[in-house]
Amino acid sequence: KSIAVRKFVHESVRAHDAVAGYCVTGWRDTPISTAGLIDDWGEPRYTPNELRSWNSEDVLFLIPTRRPPWVNGGNRPGWLDSFVHFAGPILWKVGLHSEQGLDACLEWRVVDDSGAVVASGTGEHRRIPALESHQVAELYWPDAVPGGYELEVRFGGAQNQWPIWVVPEPVWAEFGGWTLHDPARRFAGVTLPEGDSVLATRTPENLRGL
C-alpha cells in the first residue's frame, strides 16, 4: 500500500510542471507504521527497480479523463477512474515529464493475468521539451472484457505500468428491494424497484447540526 500511494502521488505531482520536487516525510518505520522507505534495521524497503518507473528523470503518468455530469441544468466536476473501467471501450491519456526532454513515440500494451497481450499500439512521434508536462498519446482499447490487467507504456527510455480492472456495468433493475431517496442527486438517472430498504444520500444542508 505504501509504495502504491507514493507512486500515485508522485505521478500526480509530475503531471504539474510548476511543482519542482517533493519531500519524503515517512523516511523510516515507526512503532505504529511500516510505511517508511527504511525498515527497523536501517535497510531499504524497496529495490531501485521498484521505484525507477516513477522516481526517475523521465516519468510517464496517466491523465484523468474529464466527464462532467449535467445536473440540474449545469456542469458539475466529474472525472473517470483511470484504473477501474466498465467492460467495453476504454480511453487512456498518457503524459510525460522529463528533466532533459525526450523525442520518441509511445508504445503501449495491455497484458492479462496469464501474460497474454490483449491490446497494443503505437502513438505518433512527439517532441517533449524539458521540465514541461505534456500529453504524449491517447490509447484506445475498443473491446475490454472483465478481468485484471496490466497497462504497460514506453516512451523513449521512460517506461511505466499500472494495474487495470475491468468490471461488468451494473444493471440497476437487478438491484431490487430498494427505495431511492437521493436529495444530493448522487444517483441521477438510476431507477431502483421499490422495496423495504432505503438507499439515501445527503446534501450539505442535511449535515448541519450533526
Side-chain angles (χ1 to χ4, degrees):
K1 180 179 178 180
S2 64
I3 196 171
V5 171
R6 285 189 171 97
K7 184 177 190 293
F8 177 80
V9 171
H10 192 76
E11 290 170 357
S12 299
V13 170
R14 292 294 289 268
H16 300 276
D17 49 41
V19 181
Y22 66 96
C23 176
V24 176
T25 58
W27 177 249
R28 184 167 179 167
D29 288 349
T30 69
I32 62 172
S33 171
T34 56
L37 292 174
I38 301 298
D39 64 20
D40 285 335
W41 294 269
E43 297 296 328
R45 181 173 298 282
Y46 312 110
T47 67
N49 282 337
E50 290 179 287
L51 311 180
R52 185 168 290 114
S53 66
W54 52 272
N55 191 34
S56 300
E57 294 182 358
D58 307 313
V59 173
L60 291 157
F61 51 84
L62 292 179
I63 302 172
T65 300
R66 295 183 70 241
R67 284 294 186 273
W70 187 262
V71 179
N72 293 337
N75 280 340
R76 301 293 185 268
W79 306 86
L80 296 183
D81 192 320
S82 298
F83 310 102
V84 181
H85 303 267
F86 291 135
I90 299 176
L91 174 70
W92 291 289
K93 294 183 287 187
V94 179
L96 174 81
H97 183 272
S98 173
E99 290 187 7
Q100 304 297 326
L102 274 181
D103 191 348
C105 296
L106 185 88
E107 301 175 2
W108 65 277
R109 65 178 191 169
V110 179
V111 181
D112 66 14
D113 288 337
S114 69
V117 177
V118 297
S120 62
T122 304
E124 297 181 357
H125 191 274
R126 294 290 306 273
R127 166 72 180 167
I128 305 301
L131 301 178
E132 295 183 12
S133 300
H134 289 276
Q135 179 176 315
V136 294
E138 290 187 352
L139 323 180
Y140 184 65
W141 184 13
D143 52 0
V145 298
Y149 302 92
E150 188 92 356
L151 172 61
E152 302 174 354
V153 296
R154 181 188 300 271
F155 187 86
Q159 58 183 2
N160 208 340
Q161 62 284 321
W162 302 273
I164 302 296
W165 293 271
V166 179
V167 298
E169 188 164 2
V171 180
W172 294 106
E174 296 178 355
F175 292 83
W178 291 88
T179 296
L180 182 63
H181 177 67
D182 188 24
R185 297 186 62 81
R186 303 296 186 189
F187 293 89
V190 174
T191 301
L192 297 178
E194 292 189 1
D196 297 329
S197 301
V198 177
L199 177 62
T201 62
R202 289 180 171 179
T203 62
E205 289 75 15
N206 298 138
L207 301 178
R208 292 175 181 174
L210 297 180

